[in-house]
Amino acid sequence: MTTSNHNSFIELKNISKSYQAGLSEVSALGPIDLSIAKGAIIALMGPSGSGKSTMLNLLGVLDRPTTGDIVIDGCSTNSFDADEQAVFRNESVGFIFQNFNLIPVLSTIENVLLPSQLSRSSDATTANSRAAHLIKAVGIEEQTNQSANRLSGGQMQRAAIARALINQPKLILADEPTANLDENTAKKVLELLSTVCRDEGATIVIATHDPSVLPYCQRIVSLRDGKIADDRST
């Protein structure tokens, strides 16, 4: 496993991602160079098709770049084998997916606890206590024992956010986390993410179209046609 001595928590080095479409190769992202500091909240903005979801997938090691390398917390993700990828995703990354990815037959708390049950270092008592705290923090304690297939879209979104935070990940990747939430709930969720960032030192990358997210971010990176169009502090 190769390492980096750079001070940044995340380094994208000449990253690009292309896909084969028939006989043609379609560029989805890059080339991109980007450094992200530890404990920062970054907004990733841009129109649909600009490369936001592709970048989240690469940062979460759900996909590999076509060219370049991504170094996270001093480790080159290119060097991970399949097992190391799986461990990294479960123990170091919290994913908040747009389509929630909850297991319908499991209850809210069972869904939230699932990543902790797959973790090598998780303690069941601590995990249960944290799950209850997170469920309350996102405002769905009344749905704690309700199966996911009986939750509303907004409740599923909040359960997915609680699940993403259960293992105290050092990197949180959120794809439109406020899209299914009313204004008041969105504010609570963004405040929770800010607290996790401050108290647990997590780094958060949020792909969003929602301007209400921006006051919680220290930096806005705008993508267009797979490239960085703008990069500024807030």
Side-chain angles (χ1 to χ4, degrees), residues 1 5-6 12 52 73 81 86 112 115 127-128 134-136 141 154 163 169 181 204 215 224:
M1 189 182 293
N5 294 317
H6 198 283
L12 285 78
K52 300 189 303 298
D73 201 17
D81 62 25
V112 171
N128 276 283
L134 290 168
I135 287 169
K136 185 175 182 180
E141 59 267 41
R163 180 188 58 190
L181 305 179
I204 305 176
R224 185 170 294 277

Side-chain angles (χ1 to χ4, degrees), residues 130-181:
R130 182 169 171 84
H133 165 73
L134 290 168
I135 287 169
K136 185 175 182 180
V138 297
I140 52 171
E141 59 267 41
E142 290 183 7
Q143 286 77 38
T144 296
N145 297 307
Q146 194 165 303
S147 60
N149 59 11
R150 297 183 60 203
L151 300 178
S152 69
Q155 289 165 348
M156 285 193 282
Q157 178 73 305
R158 286 179 273 174
I161 290 165
R163 180 188 58 190
L165 302 179
I166 188 68
N167 282 345
Q168 294 184 266
K170 56 189 176 184
L171 175 60
I172 297 166
L173 303 174
D175 196 358
E176 302 285 357
T178 59
N180 294 281
L181 305 179

Side-chain angles (χ1 to χ4, degrees), residues 59-213:
L59 288 171
V61 198
L62 292 168
D63 205 352
R64 287 188 182 271
T66 304
T67 66
D69 190 16
I70 299 176
V71 178
I72 301 178
D73 201 17
C75 294
S76 165
T77 60
N78 278 358
S79 70
F80 291 171
D81 62 25
D83 288 341
E84 288 171 328
Q85 283 182 327
V87 169
F88 176 79
R89 284 192 295 262
N90 188 59
E91 298 186 359
S92 297
V93 186
F95 295 97
I96 303 171
F97 296 102
Q98 231 178 326
N99 58 353
F100 317 128
N101 287 357
L102 300 178
I103 297 177
V105 296
L106 296 184
S107 68
T108 297
I109 194 164
E110 288 170 335
N111 270 288
V112 171
L113 282 168
L114 197 55
S116 70
Q117 293 165 347
L118 300 172
S119 172
R120 302 168 300 177
S121 56
S122 180
D123 170 74
T125 302
T126 303
N128 276 283
S129 175
R130 182 169 171 84
H133 165 73
L134 290 168
I135 287 169
K136 185 175 182 180
V138 297
I140 52 171
E141 59 267 41
E142 290 183 7
Q143 286 77 38
T144 296
N145 297 307
Q146 194 165 303
S147 60
N149 59 11
R150 297 183 60 203
L151 300 178
S152 69
Q155 289 165 348
M156 285 193 282
Q157 178 73 305
R158 286 179 273 174
I161 290 165
R163 180 188 58 190
L165 302 179
I166 188 68
N167 282 345
Q168 294 184 266
K170 56 189 176 184
L171 175 60
I172 297 166
L173 303 174
D175 196 358
E176 302 285 357
T178 59
N180 294 281
L181 305 179
D182 61 72
E183 185 178 343
N184 186 50
T185 304
K187 185 170 184 282
K188 286 181 181 176
V189 162
L190 291 167
E191 287 171 353
L192 174 63
L193 291 175
S194 295
T195 299
V196 167
C197 180
R198 182 186 68 241
D199 295 350
E200 300 178 7
T203 302
I204 305 176
V205 181
I206 303 174
T208 185
H209 290 96
D210 182 359
S212 73
V213 172

